[in-house]
Amino acid sequence: MKPITKQAVQAYLEQFLNKTVYIHLETTTGAYSAHKNESNMTVVAFIRNTKVTYHQAKITGNGPYRVGLKMNEGWIYAEGLTDWVYNDENQLLMAGHNSEGQLAIALQISEKPFQY
């Protein structure tokens, strides 16, 4: 992965406009959060291989970045994204890493289901 450049990510987001795509969205404070301080609450959200069709996509911010995907009846929204890659399987993978390099959020888009 490499640091996000808004123009490049925006172009890849638009590549998937009006197509049925698979989404992976994950946020986590990680088990390390509670491990370091027992008073911290571990928070996790995980969605994998959910099919959606979005008709508008936007990346905003100056880093970390926000990505919003507008569907007919709602939004998918991810904030805190720092890095990205478009891989050989035509998947757009975006992630947000904290100051210690640990994953805090991931948003991934693909025309094929993600493999486990």
Side-chain angles (χ1 to χ4, degrees):
M1 296 193 119
K2 56 191 172 190
I4 285 178
T5 53
K6 286 172 60 173
Q7 297 83 0
V9 171
Q10 183 67 45
Y12 282 110
L13 289 169
E14 292 175 2
Q15 174 181 304
F16 295 112
L17 286 175
N18 301 309
K19 296 180 179 178
T20 299
V21 294
Y22 292 86
I23 296 290
H24 172 84
L25 176 62
E26 176 180 358
T27 63
T28 181
T29 56
Y32 52 83
S33 178
H35 180 71
K36 288 181 177 177
N37 182 344
E38 291 181 7
S39 66
N40 287 347
M41 181 173 64
T42 298
V43 177
V44 177
F46 186 89
I47 300 169
R48 187 155 182 95
N49 286 330
T50 298
K51 290 196 297 188
V52 302
T53 303
Y54 62 84
H55 58 85
Q56 182 180 353
K58 185 79 175 174
I59 181 168
T60 61
N62 296 313
Y65 298 92
R66 294 180 300 273
V67 168
L69 307 174
K70 186 174 185 181
M71 301 165 295
N72 283 339
E73 298 179 6
W75 284 86
I76 295 171
Y77 177 83
E79 182 163 358
L81 299 165
T82 57
D83 303 290
W84 76 291
V85 67
Y86 190 81
N87 67 20
D88 293 340
E89 297 182 39
N90 300 319
Q91 298 171 324
L92 177 58
L93 311 177
M94 297 166 282
H97 298 99
N98 67 17
S99 60
E100 297 174 2
Q102 298 161 324
L103 180 68
I105 186 167
L107 175 61
Q108 304 175 346
I109 304 168
S110 173
E111 291 186 55
K112 299 181 298 187
F114 292 99
Q115 301 300 310
Y116 292 92

